[in-house]
Amino acid sequence: MNKIFRLVVLLAFLMIGCQENGEGTLSIEQVVVVESFLAPGHPASIKLSSVIPFTTDTTTEIADAISGMEVSISVGDLNYNLVEMTDTPGTYEEPTKRLVIEEGETYQLQFTYFDQEVIGTTQVPSKPANFEISDTLIKLPRITEDSGPGGMPSMTEIEIIWDNDESDYYLLTIQYMEEEYDTINTVFEIEDAEAAANFSSQPLQVNFYSIRSMQFSFFGRYQIVLSHINPEYASLFETLNQSSLEGLTEPESNVINGKGIFTSYNSDTLWIDVLEE
Amino acid sequence: MIHKSLVPYLILMLLKFSVLAQEAEKLIINKDYYAMTLRSVLIDLSKSYNLQVDYNQEDVKGYAVFSGHFEMPLGRFMETILTNTALKFKIVENQIQIRNNSVEISLKDKEYAPKADFTLTGLVRDQETGEILPFAQIIVVGTTNGTTSNVDGYFTLFHVPSDTSQLLVGYVGYEKKTLSLTPRLVNNKLVIDLVKGSLQLADVNIVGERKDLMKVSEKISETALTPREIAVLPSLGEKDIFRTFQLLPGISGSNEGSAGLYVRGGTPDQNLILYDGFTVYHVDHLFGMFSTFNSNAVIDVKLFKGGFESRYGGRLSSVMDIVGKDGNENNFNLGADLSFLSFNAFTEFPLGKNITVLFAFRRSFQSALYNKFFENYNSETTTTQFGGNNGNRPFGRRMETAEPVSYFYDINSKISYNPSKKDIISWSIFNGKDVLDNSRENNRSFGGMEMNNSINDLTDWGNLGSSLKWSRKWNQKFYTNTLVSYSNYFSIRDRTSENTRINEDDEYETMKQGTYENNDLQDFAFKTDDQWEINLTHRVEFGLQANYFNIKYNYQRDDTITIQNRDDQASLFAFYLQDNWTPVTRLCIIPGVRVSYYSGTQKPYFEPRLSASYALTERWKLKAAWGEYDQFAQRVIREDIQSGSKDFWMLANDEDVSVSSAEHYIVGFSYETPSYLFDVEAYYKQLNGLTEYTLRYIPQFGSVDYNEFYYTGDGYAQGIEFLVQKKFGNPSGWMGYTLGEVMYNFPVYGDNSFAASHDVTHEFKMVGIYKLKKWTFSMTWIFATGKPYTKPLGGYQIELPDGTVQEYIMVGQKNGSRYPNYHRLDMAVSRNMKFGDMATGAISFSLFNVYNRKNVWYKEFEMVEGQLIETDVNLLGITPNITLSFSLK
């Protein structure tokens, strides 16, 4: 199933390639960016926006939302129409909540834009199995200016493991749950607290991940989310060539006749508390 | 140190006393005679100089030779020792007959039967060093009967009218010589010595002269260079053959990042670069600032811009045939150059009677100039991680900055052996390497925990080549040249990092990350090139070539993921046959065919070729060429931002990399006066089977089959070149203009053709040289319209479930936009110096990019908060250089 899926992805990209270049190129106004991450337990949500053209006059920072589209998602024989949310234009959801995202099912997105049929397909991966963490509680000393020399804490490593026999892609995210930031090391000033408190891994194809205690900047509770993702989601992390030396590149997209991503993932959550010694 | 250098002198002195018999009249006697009788002097004379002295014992009795040191020609010596005697003498060749004044001398002048309408063979050499001059031109004065000497300096002239005709001999960089033939000259081995003169760059098929025009070689699209003389042109630290060719029309001059030549819209890998017969696969030193060829070791370079003969095969665009110097036959010579960038030394000397040796070495040192090039062209610093996440922010990450170690060197050596008058055996070796090492190590220990982190950042690439050649002129009409050679190109790019740590079980765990790339190419070849001069109208050339290729390419990521692991071998056999046919005197037609068999596809390939030239009048000449060309080993350009050798060589096969082919159509004409040359050539090249390999469609993390990502396409290149050259006088120089177009069509990018990345529409170049006594001033100016690039049209954002936002760009038409125009002025001034009679030298000061124009190399795009930020990365700005040269001869 994966092989066919990859072929579809490739084919999709080639077809996009064929259409985007040369005189048959769509003008930039006719290109739609799809943003959709389906997950079990969350309502299906599709966000459509346009590409911001690079002109010297443009100062808009936000892309224009694309409204008024007739968007539908089908799974098996069933077809659901999505409705645009009034408070967030460009975002389409399924109001009746009959559309449920389930593991193993394949969902297809469809709508028409400028006479082009925009299609995306994704299969929901399985929930991470045997997701375990070595410690749910660690204690670290608070470092203040009064802390004596040689006060480097012993390096504890927190090991996280899960099953991954097929070398599928996984993503690990660590999120700080507290409302206020309780700094561990008061000697150094942290400029961007939010960036320091939350961090994620690159797509992993292994079955383990280790966090060093030094990586925690604040005391409190952290949520550890492991997501089983699809290849098209992993490709978003590609290091893309952004210099014209070798030719500019575009990220791979699994949306036919459009850009962006239509994917699904499945995650599990654990917690860890970081307390003061 | 001193005594070692005396050895060649000692050898030399020994050599001085052995002499060719025929040269007796020119023989200089250098002897000390003390209290000796005339008879003992004559005996000693005949022994020392291999002369036959015929005298009567009675006649010489009682005479003595007064003591002293004698250093004079033989004739005068005989006169001197026979003064005050009643004897007279006569010298004919190596015989001396002494008789009493009253007796007649019976020694007859050697008589040679008069010759008319005969075939004359000879050898052309440099008078001072004795080195042979390949491709010199010889013509019988007053006729259009002429020929060129071959790669070993030998020539054959048919239908020479009489043994007293005059020959006009010319060679680029040497004074023309008019030689009056004599019966004695034509009946013995003829050696023509030429003296070095002031030089201009000249089209080899036309060497003008004030009185006589000479058009002997009729090859189309051919240009020759005399490496010695390019020292007067502005340089970036090293005088460079390839950079000088870039000043000619038809060859792109705006490529600072590549020493390789883009000839008539072709890429550097489509050029066959031969050095003493073996193929050189990579010609860049220092990110393409210079080529790997040391001008001090090269005697002759010819570039065939297209339509080349069936003798050469395996490439689509052009051929560069480089002949290394043999070495000074007569004297020991030593020379050196020192510039802001590198040190270059060479030595050449004779060894024994028939052997000459040449050795040249060049190495860079990390001067400020070197570092400047390095910083400018080492493009790995600026990789914007687009679409990547914020990643880990490990607390206390420390990066140790280290000084990168970087250098290049090359070594050229050649030994030539002349076992007989007909044979030449030579062995040539070439080795060059570039090293770039930015590796660093990092050891940390925290509270009992050891961490070891080493980062490798090593780029190492180079060539090793060698050829053993035997050429023989069997008789006046038949000449063969056989060669075995080995050529190796290697390229290693190691960007891995190792992290060692102690895990929870107290064990050492090593994780390796990063990329490792290794490309190794071996080319074993056997070649024979034969010439058969049937008569004045036909000269047939044929030959065989066999190559065995062994190419490995290994590209690993993170120690476990193999992106490419190729280990290919293939053989290529080729046979060619062509005829230099002159049906009427002014017309020369060269039909030929090259047939190859390639084991990678198990197919034969036919390449018919045809070229012709017609001298309309003495000044006007028309020329044309057509041919088919195939290429079996390709250099695949990999789209990757990492610097170093970004490309790799691969053998064509049936699956992913196909055999590429081209068809050339060339027409042109030239008009020449004694001082000026005006040359126009138009070309059209059809290209098929081009290959591009790209990683950009592949996710960084995945086990996709990477072999899927070779793309095939075709294209064409067409253009017209104009050249105006002032060959003599002061100032001298040339101007060239090229109008060209290169379009590619790769289905993977769409149905429409796009301009190739090296396509330049207009290119204008100007070179001027002015000599004033010991000073030489030179300037070059290049103007080229911008190359194409793909421009971004817009950007968009995607918010990931974890809340991070990533920005992406949307690209426009492939190569749909153009960089701004490129132009650059270089100037140089040099002064010749003489160190008494001992040595000569020169000091030159060069300024590159005099008005410091910021020429765009490429652009970088970054999307920050919805706005596109475009940054220009520029080529080299104003750069000065000083070079000191010195040589004994």
Side-chain angles (χ1 to χ4, degrees):
Chain A
M1 195 58 198
N2 256 339
K3 235 189 177 174
I4 300 172
F5 181 73
R6 282 206 199 105
L7 278 171
V8 168
V9 167
L10 248 181
L11 195 64
F13 189 79
L14 287 176
M15 284 173 62
I16 293 172
C18 280
Q19 300 221 321
E20 297 288 349
N21 294 303
E23 261 118 40
T25 315
L26 294 171
S27 73
I28 199 166
E29 293 85 29
Q30 298 171 326
V31 178
V32 57
V33 180
V34 173
E35 201 180 298
S36 176
F37 297 87
L38 305 176
H42 299 272
S45 176
I46 316 287
K47 186 171 162 198
L48 301 179
S49 50
S50 62
V51 177
I52 313 165
F54 291 136
T55 63
T56 44
D57 309 327
T58 308
T59 49
T60 48
E61 292 179 6
I62 312 163
D64 291 330
I66 293 174
S67 299
M69 293 289 111
E70 284 181 12
V71 182
S72 65
I73 292 183
S74 55
V75 50
D77 297 326
L78 302 170
N79 196 36
Y80 302 86
N81 290 323
L82 299 183
V83 171
E84 188 171 356
M85 300 286 103
T86 39
D87 4 321
T88 49
T91 307
Y92 299 75
E93 290 185 18
E94 209 277 297
T96 64
K97 306 266 192 292
R98 278 183 293 128
L99 171 61
V100 176
I101 309 297
E102 277 168 2
E103 179 177 319
E105 295 285 339
T106 305
Y107 297 86
Q108 188 176 70
L109 169 76
Q110 196 172 329
F111 64 96
T112 310
Y113 189 63
F114 276 100
D115 296 326
Q116 299 264 344
E117 229 189 318
V118 185
I119 297 172
T121 312
T122 184
Q123 184 185 24
V124 183
S126 58
K127 190 165 173 150
N130 294 324
F131 178 34
E132 285 168 23
I133 189 167
S134 58
D135 307 85
T136 50
L137 177 92
I138 58 164
K139 289 192 174 168
L140 300 173
R142 190 186 293 269
I143 300 169
T144 63
E145 272 147 14
D146 305 326
S147 309
M152 273 321 230
S154 60
M155 289 254 292
T156 335
E157 287 242 344
I158 295 128
E159 295 284 339
I160 299 168
I161 55 171
W162 62 93
D163 283 351
N164 189 8
D165 294 328
E166 277 114 49
S167 298
D168 282 347
Y169 294 103
Y170 285 82
L171 210 59
L172 196 83
T173 320
I174 293 127
Q175 285 163 345
Y176 190 58
M177 302 303 290
E178 312 290 344
E179 278 173 13
E180 284 182 13
Y181 295 100
D182 189 4
T183 328
I184 295 176
N185 187 334
T186 53
V187 180
F188 291 104
E189 212 184 286
I190 297 170
E191 280 180 20
D192 188 350
E194 197 184 330
N198 305 293
F199 42 96
S200 328
S201 70
Q202 294 275 303
L204 308 161
Q205 282 186 289
V206 293
N207 58 357
F208 68 90
Y209 189 81
S210 29
I211 308 173
R212 272 168 278 135
S213 53
M214 279 186 359
Q215 289 175 261
F216 294 109
S217 306
F218 307 102
F219 292 112
R221 168 158 290 200
Y222 289 81
Q223 186 179 74
I224 308 208
V225 180
L226 179 71
S227 308
H228 187 179
I229 62 174
N230 281 317
E232 66 265 8
Y233 189 158
S235 73
L236 289 181
F237 294 81
E238 265 297 284
T239 313
L240 297 172
N241 177 33
Q242 295 318 318
S243 87
S244 60
L245 184 63
E246 307 296 340
L248 284 178
T249 56
E250 284 192 9
E252 216 180 300
S253 168
N254 70 335
V255 177
I256 302 173
N257 289 332
K259 298 209 179 291
I261 190 158
F262 176 70
T263 189
S264 53
Y265 65 95
N266 205 338
S267 40
D268 199 0
T269 312
L270 290 174
W271 282 268
I272 185 168
D273 287 319
V274 179
L275 300 178
E276 189 174 350
E277 210 164 63
Chain B
M1 192 51 186
I2 296 179
H3 64 268
K4 269 194 217 162
S5 66
L6 268 182
V7 169
Y9 280 106
L10 287 173
I11 296 173
L12 217 56
M13 300 228 286
L14 291 172
L15 286 179
K16 261 193 162 166
F17 292 109
S18 75
V19 127
L20 295 166
Q22 286 91 332
E23 307 289 313
E25 280 128 0
K26 295 194 200 152
L27 178 59
I28 309 283
I29 306 297
N30 193 340
K31 280 273 186 182
D32 295 312
Y33 289 122
Y34 290 99
M36 285 171 81
T37 62
L38 178 58
R39 183 163 161 257
S40 35
V41 167
L42 291 174
I43 291 170
D44 181 67
L45 196 68
S46 81
K47 266 202 227 134
S48 306
Y49 295 101
N50 226 357
L51 300 167
Q52 285 179 300
V53 188
D54 173 19
Y55 60 92
N56 290 322
Q57 293 222 18
E58 286 294 317
D59 285 338
V60 303
K61 216 170 180 178
Y63 289 117
V65 171
F66 62 86
S67 306
H69 171 74
F70 297 88
E71 195 172 333
M72 58 187 70
L74 177 62
R76 199 145 69 82
F77 176 78
M78 291 309 299
E79 279 171 16
T80 312
I81 60 171
L82 294 180
T83 331
N84 301 329
T85 68
L87 301 169
K88 64 180 182 225
F89 71 95
K90 181 170 179 179
I91 306 172
V92 174
E93 301 219 333
N94 67 331
Q95 292 180 296
I96 308 176
Q97 194 176 66
I98 301 172
R99 291 285 180 271
N100 207 299
N101 279 334
S102 53
V103 176
E104 260 213 54
I105 288 204
S106 59
L107 188 62
K108 295 250 189 299
D109 284 310
K110 186 125 181 225
E111 268 189 30
Y112 297 97
K115 285 198 178 182
D117 193 20
F118 62 98
T119 305
L120 178 68
T121 325
L123 181 72
V124 184
R125 293 191 320 195
D126 177 317
Q127 173 162 308
E128 208 189 317
T129 69
E131 278 187 75
I132 56 100
L133 298 177
F135 317 121
Q137 293 156 328
I138 308 100
I139 192 174
V140 179
V141 170
T143 74
T144 52
N145 182 6
T147 187
T148 30
S149 65
N150 64 20
V151 71
D152 294 304
Y154 287 114
F155 69 89
T156 302
L157 264 177
F158 291 105
H159 296 293
V160 180
S162 94
D163 51 12
T164 50
S165 297
Q166 280 195 321
L167 297 183
L168 184 58
V169 187
Y171 186 67
V172 175
Y174 288 76
E175 309 249 346
K176 241 155 296 301
K177 179 172 191 159
T178 306
L179 176 73
S180 298
L181 295 174
T182 67
R184 194 174 73 75
L185 273 178
V186 305
N187 280 293
N188 295 295
K189 178 184 170 186
L190 178 63
V191 177
I192 304 178
D193 289 320
L194 297 183
V195 177
K196 285 199 175 88
S198 67
L199 151 266
Q200 318 295 331
L201 258 193
D203 231 29
V204 80
N205 41 347
I206 300 170
V207 178
E209 204 248 344
R210 288 180 205 283
K211 287 183 219 150
D212 263 320
L213 284 180
M214 181 158 63
K215 289 168 194 158
V216 187
S217 176
E218 282 107 12
K219 303 211 170 89
I220 191 171
S221 304
E222 184 180 319
T223 315
L225 252 195
T226 302
R228 171 177 66 91
E229 295 295 331
I230 63 180
V232 301
L233 294 173
S235 75
L236 264 172
E238 267 285 322
K239 56 183 189 275
D240 193 68
I241 296 165
F242 278 64
R243 294 237 149 246
T244 309
F245 271 122
Q246 288 179 6
L247 297 169
L248 294 168
I251 302 170
S252 183
S254 55
N255 288 289
E256 284 174 36
S258 160
L261 302 179
Y262 290 82
V263 181
R264 291 185 174 165
T267 49
D269 69 318
Q270 292 171 355
N271 301 334
L272 179 66
I273 315 280
L274 293 171
Y275 186 84
D276 277 341
F278 61 83
T279 311
V280 182
Y281 287 87
H282 189 84
V283 301
D284 289 346
H285 263 330
L286 192 55
F287 310 110
M289 288 313 297
F290 319 101
S291 64
T292 56
F293 300 107
N294 187 344
S295 317
N296 286 332
V298 174
I299 180 109
D300 188 83
V301 188
K302 286 156 92 88
L303 176 70
F304 301 89
K305 289 190 281 187
F308 47 90
E309 294 178 343
S310 39
R311 181 154 44 115
Y312 301 108
R315 293 290 188 275
L316 299 183
S317 276
S318 66
V319 174
M320 185 181 289
D321 200 340
I322 304 173
V323 181
K325 280 172 93 168
D326 278 345
N328 196 323
E329 202 176 270
N330 296 329
N331 299 305
F332 171 77
N333 189 9
L334 175 72
D337 294 319
L338 181 68
S339 72
F340 275 174
L341 187 71
S342 60
F343 167 73
N344 187 343
F346 71 93
T347 176
E348 47 184 351
F349 51 86
L351 199 67
K353 204 166 175 198
N354 296 320
I355 303 179
T356 57
V357 177
L358 174 104
F359 184 81
F361 174 73
R362 176 168 70 159
R363 198 205 196 271
S364 68
F365 44 84
Q366 256 171 290
S367 61
L369 181 63
Y370 191 93
N371 285 331
K372 182 172 180 182
F373 290 156
F374 181 84
E375 276 153 28
N376 209 73
Y377 292 105
N378 193 4
S379 63
E380 59 183 80
T381 47
T382 43
T383 312
T384 318
Q385 193 163 29
F386 232 79
N389 67 351
N390 293 327
N392 274 330
R393 296 248 183 137
F395 187 83
R397 176 177 55 164
R398 223 179 289 152
M399 251 329 187
E400 289 193 10
T401 50
E403 267 296 307
V405 169
S406 162
Y407 64 89
F408 70 82
Y409 75 80
D410 44 61
I411 302 174
N412 288 287
S413 78
K414 189 163 175 181
I415 301 179
S416 303
Y417 172 49
N418 286 39
S420 78
K421 281 185 254 173
K422 296 187 181 189
D423 300 278
I424 300 178
I425 299 178
S426 61
W427 183 29
S428 176
I429 305 176
F430 165 67
N431 176 222
K433 188 161 134 152
D434 274 71
V435 172
L436 179 61
D437 196 341
N438 202 6
S439 308
R440 45 212 182 273
E441 230 183 84
N442 203 342
N443 289 328
R444 286 178 291 167
S445 61
F446 284 123
M449 173 96 167
E450 291 265 334
M451 286 246 313
N452 184 298
N453 167 280
S454 73
I455 299 174
N456 291 333
D457 191 349
L458 175 69
T459 312
D460 185 340
W461 77 88
N463 292 296
L464 170 67
S466 181
S467 66
L468 180 65
K469 182 178 84 144
W470 169 47
S471 57
R472 182 179 172 93
K473 191 147 178 76
W474 298 83
N475 52 48
Q476 283 187 330
K477 301 200 174 188
F478 192 60
Y479 162 80
T480 62
N481 187 349
T482 310
L483 184 141
V484 292
S485 73
Y486 169 74
S487 181
N488 170 234
Y489 161 64
F490 56 89
S491 167
I492 295 172
R493 182 102 182 89
D494 183 355
R495 293 201 87 220
T496 55
S497 65
E498 256 180 46
N499 285 298
T500 316
R501 63 181 187 92
I502 306 177
N503 67 6
E504 57 194 9
D505 298 326
D506 273 335
E507 285 168 350
Y508 276 103
E509 213 173 86
T510 308
M511 282 201 318
K512 214 171 175 184
Q513 279 183 310
T515 60
Y516 176 80
E517 214 177 325
N518 187 342
N519 189 202
D520 196 281
L521 182 155
Q522 291 181 312
D523 176 0
F524 299 87
F526 167 81
K527 261 199 276 199
T528 171
D529 291 303
D530 313 304
Q531 269 178 25
W532 179 21
E533 320 237 14
I534 301 178
N535 54 36
L536 192 52
T537 345
H538 291 278
R539 182 174 88 230
V540 170
E541 288 166 316
F542 60 95
L544 270 170
Q545 190 174 336
N547 286 77
Y548 176 72
F549 300 105
N550 183 6
I551 303 186
K552 296 189 179 59
Y553 179 57
N554 182 19
Y555 186 22
Q556 300 260 60
R557 188 183 265 157
D558 295 343
D559 208 24
T560 46
I561 302 170
T562 303
I563 299 177
Q564 279 286 286
N565 193 8
R566 299 183 79 108
D567 189 349
D568 299 318
Q569 289 82 33
S571 314
L572 178 67
F573 301 97
F575 168 76
Y576 73 88
L577 176 67
Q578 67 187 36
D579 181 19
N580 275 267
W581 176 33
T582 35
V584 291
T585 42
R586 288 175 182 271
L587 175 65
C588 176
I589 302 176
I590 307 179
V593 69
R594 188 181 177 90
V595 181
S596 319
Y597 174 78
Y598 178 60
S599 74
T601 53
Q602 299 197 315
K603 281 196 210 131
Y605 296 85
F606 292 94
E607 295 168 43
R609 308 210 183 148
L610 180 68
S611 66
S613 67
Y614 180 61
L616 221 53
T617 71
E618 280 214 345
R619 297 189 174 192
W620 284 93
K621 189 160 161 184
L622 299 173
K623 33 194 178 155
W626 167 79
E628 285 187 8
Y629 305 87
D630 293 306
Q631 186 159 341
F632 307 95
Q634 283 202 45
R635 195 187 69 171
V636 176
I637 310 250
R638 189 164 54 76
E639 296 189 354
D640 194 307
I641 41 180
Q642 312 275 297
S643 70
S645 185
K646 318 185 260 287
D647 42 82
F648 56 95
W649 283 90
M650 283 206 22
L651 289 173
N653 51 45
D654 282 323
E655 294 134 21
D656 35 30
V657 179
S658 51
V659 172
S660 49
S661 63
E663 197 171 343
H664 294 196
Y665 299 86
I666 309 174
V667 292
F669 69 86
S670 64
Y671 177 75
E672 188 173 5
T673 72
S675 302
Y676 288 91
L677 169 66
F678 178 68
D679 191 89
V680 180
E681 258 183 48
Y683 64 90
Y684 174 79
K685 281 196 292 204
Q686 177 65 39
L687 304 158
N688 295 304
L690 304 169
T691 306
E692 216 175 81
Y693 173 79
T694 177
L695 279 178
R696 59 152 135 146
Y697 295 131
I698 307 167
Q700 229 182 11
F701 330 89
S703 46
V704 184
D705 183 5
Y706 292 91
N707 286 325
E708 294 170 10
F709 297 95
Y710 286 99
Y711 301 116
T712 315
D714 48 45
Y716 67 86
Q718 63 185 3
I720 184 162
E721 299 163 10
F722 298 87
L723 171 73
V724 175
Q725 181 188 11
K726 183 168 190 290
K727 300 178 291 181
F728 292 101
N730 219 4
S732 61
W734 66 87
M735 290 197 297
Y737 168 71
T738 311
L739 173 67
E741 181 186 33
V742 189
M743 297 293 284
Y744 279 175
N745 189 310
F746 277 74
V748 70
Y749 296 124
D751 288 331
N752 297 295
S753 297
F754 56 90
S757 303
H758 53 278
D759 176 38
V760 174
T761 314
H762 301 277
E763 191 159 328
F764 174 78
K765 287 176 272 210
M766 205 159 75
V767 174
I769 300 168
Y770 184 75
K771 291 190 203 246
L772 184 65
K773 294 193 193 145
K774 292 197 185 204
W775 296 86
T776 308
F777 301 90
S778 67
M779 61 81 83
T780 62
W781 188 66
I782 303 173
F783 172 87
T785 52
K787 295 205 188 69
Y789 70 100
T790 311
K791 200 169 160 174
L793 290 183
Y796 55 94
Q797 296 173 331
I798 292 181
E799 187 180 334
L800 298 183
D802 67 357
T804 53
V805 174
Q806 300 191 21
E807 298 177 323
Y808 301 93
I809 53 166
M810 176 178 153
V811 300
Q813 193 178 2
K814 182 159 171 84
N815 284 351
S817 314
R818 294 270 168 171
Y819 291 122
N821 295 333
Y822 174 103
H823 50 93
R824 185 188 99 217
L825 172 69
D826 304 329
M827 298 174 82
V829 57
S830 62
R831 190 186 191 282
N832 293 332
M833 300 175 301
K834 263 183 118 54
F835 303 105
D837 272 338
M838 279 272 294
T840 58
I843 178 167
S844 74
F845 172 73
S846 229
L847 206 56
F848 179 90
N849 200 352
V850 172
Y851 50 85
N852 201 19
R853 162 134 176 116
K854 292 197 187 341
N855 288 307
V856 174
W857 182 17
Y858 63 93
K859 289 175 185 275
E860 281 187 342
F861 302 101
E862 211 180 324
M863 204 172 119
V864 176
E865 288 167 10
Q867 276 201 310
L868 176 72
I869 299 180
E870 191 178 300
T871 316
D872 285 344
V873 178
N874 295 324
L875 292 163
L876 215 53
I878 184 169
T879 311
N881 176 56
I882 296 181
T883 308
L884 298 165
S885 308
F886 155 84
S887 85
L888 287 180
K889 299 265 167 281

